[in-house]
Amino acid sequence: MAEKKELYGYDEEDILTLEFDDGEEEECGILGVFDALGKEYIALNPLGTEDVYLYGYKEYEEDYELIDIADEDEFAKVVKEFEKLAVEEA
């Protein structure tokens, strides 16, 4: 009998698997896609944690791309925007 995966309150279609350069994988719930600095970003929550990962986000017809935010200033601004949105949602 297949083991039922713990979804931590997410619907199955709202979970994606991150694959890191070292081969590790981590399942994350999608908290949302939001606009900041004229671009789109995505907030992800690794299942079973209270952590939040933020990435640049580009959506294509049948796929998407997550983009590391390398610039510290850009990242700080994206974090502030995400926190502002999170407070509005609460």
Side-chain angles (χ1 to χ4, degrees), residues 20-68:
F20 297 103
D21 291 339
D22 63 3
E24 291 290 314
E25 292 185 348
E26 187 163 27
E27 289 190 318
C28 296
I30 301 171
L31 293 171
V33 174
F34 61 98
D35 291 322
L37 309 172
K39 302 178 191 174
E40 283 194 315
Y41 296 89
I42 190 168
L44 304 174
N45 168 235
L47 297 183
T49 74
E50 293 184 16
D51 295 341
V52 175
Y53 296 163
L54 298 172
Y55 289 94
Y57 180 77
K58 285 193 178 180
E59 190 168 343
Y60 304 102
E61 282 187 32
E62 295 184 21
D63 204 8
Y64 62 89
E65 178 182 9
L66 300 182
I67 304 156
D68 286 331

